[in-house]
Amino acid sequence: MSILAFAAVSFAFFQTASADFAAREATRLDTCIARIDEDPEEAYEDALAWSFEGNRPGSRQCVALSLIALGQEAEGAARLEELANATDGGTLEKRALYLTQAGNAWLVAGAPEAAILTITNALKIIPNDPDLLVDRASAHILLEQWTQAISDLDAALESAPGFGTAHHLRAEARLNTGDLDMALADVKAAMQAEPDNIDTLVLRGRVREAIRLSEVRIVPPQAE
């Protein structure tokens, strides 16, 4: 066999072996993530054991997600951000996923500033993604940054018209800026998308009450 032919056979073998390894890693990650819902402590222990085998990206991701499920959201978010920035973090799509998961974890951890930074980095990879824009808007709302929230929600609805969550959050932001008619319009759109959403029904009541109060006129006392 010539050197070129041998090299071609070796390369084909390497590609096959690499693909098989990647498939096994993906299956192991799926199994680990599924276990998180059933028993996060066991999933965490399995992920740690897996990481000792080579500290590969899948094991680190599952460790981070297990920590989040165990109530250590900030630690899990930080680990996911490290993975997104690691040399072996993988494709841009995978890095965007890590950042998205980290951003959500920061929100749960009550750290909206960190969530905004992380989600903004994810949006650099996936511009105009409506889910990411809604997540960032949620962080802005927690900080009472109503204008920034509305801007993100406008963009989300431009990408995904009729997105119920985006309409709900924009109604909340508009309610807090006093734009009551537009807030009510968003509530109606959110209810059309998700008619049984109790939170939207509650929000509709708040918006209607704000409108009622805005229409109250103080009648001056009559002169005697």
Side-chain angles (χ1 to χ4, degrees):
M1 179 181 294
S2 68
I3 294 177
L4 289 177
F6 179 78
V9 171
S10 298
F11 181 70
F13 176 80
F14 173 79
Q15 281 189 312
T16 301
S18 179
D20 289 344
F21 176 78
R24 289 195 300 272
E25 289 287 289
T27 299
R28 191 165 185 178
L29 176 60
D30 289 341
T31 301
C32 190
I33 290 175
R35 188 170 288 121
I36 291 174
D37 291 332
E38 302 170 0
D39 190 335
E41 289 188 8
E42 183 178 343
Y44 176 65
E45 292 173 1
D46 288 348
L48 283 180
W50 181 13
S51 68
F52 291 147
E53 297 174 15
N55 201 33
R56 293 184 290 273
S59 65
R60 279 136 61 198
Q61 183 185 9
C62 199
V63 166
L65 294 176
S66 299
L67 286 169
I68 292 168
L70 290 168
Q72 299 183 47
E73 295 90 357
E75 176 64 22
R79 287 175 181 249
L80 286 167
E81 285 197 61
E82 289 177 3
L83 181 54
N85 294 315
T87 56
D88 61 346
T91 64
L92 285 176
E93 289 77 9
K94 286 185 178 180
R95 294 175 192 271
L97 173 62
Y98 304 147
L99 290 170
T100 299
Q101 292 172 336
N104 283 315
W106 284 127
L107 281 172
V108 175
E113 296 93 342
I116 289 170
L117 178 61
T118 303
I119 295 168
T120 298
N121 287 331
L123 282 164
K124 292 176 183 177
I125 302 173
I126 315 176
N128 300 317
D129 181 87
D131 291 315
L132 286 172
L133 288 165
V134 164
D135 288 343
R136 190 169 67 178
S138 298
H140 283 306
I141 286 174
L142 288 174
L143 293 169
E144 299 186 0
Q145 296 173 345
W146 312 118
T147 301
Q148 294 93 323
I150 290 170
S151 178
D152 275 344
L153 294 165
D154 287 345
L157 286 164
E158 185 175 344
S159 296
F163 191 172
T165 302
H167 277 297
H168 177 105
L169 291 175
R170 193 168 66 177
E172 179 70 42
R174 283 173 163 171
L175 171 60
N176 281 277
T177 61
D179 192 357
L180 302 181
D181 289 338
M182 294 303 293
L184 185 59
D186 268 323
V187 165
K188 291 178 179 178
M191 292 186 65
Q192 185 174 2
E194 300 175 358
D196 299 325
N197 189 316
I198 299 300
D199 291 335
T200 303
L201 291 173
V202 172
L203 178 58
R204 181 179 65 176
R206 292 171 55 214
V207 172
R208 285 179 170 175
E209 178 63 8
I211 291 173
R212 186 188 69 79
L213 292 174
S214 72
E215 293 172 347
V216 172
R217 296 291 182 267
I218 299 177
V219 180
Q222 298 292 326
E224 295 183 0

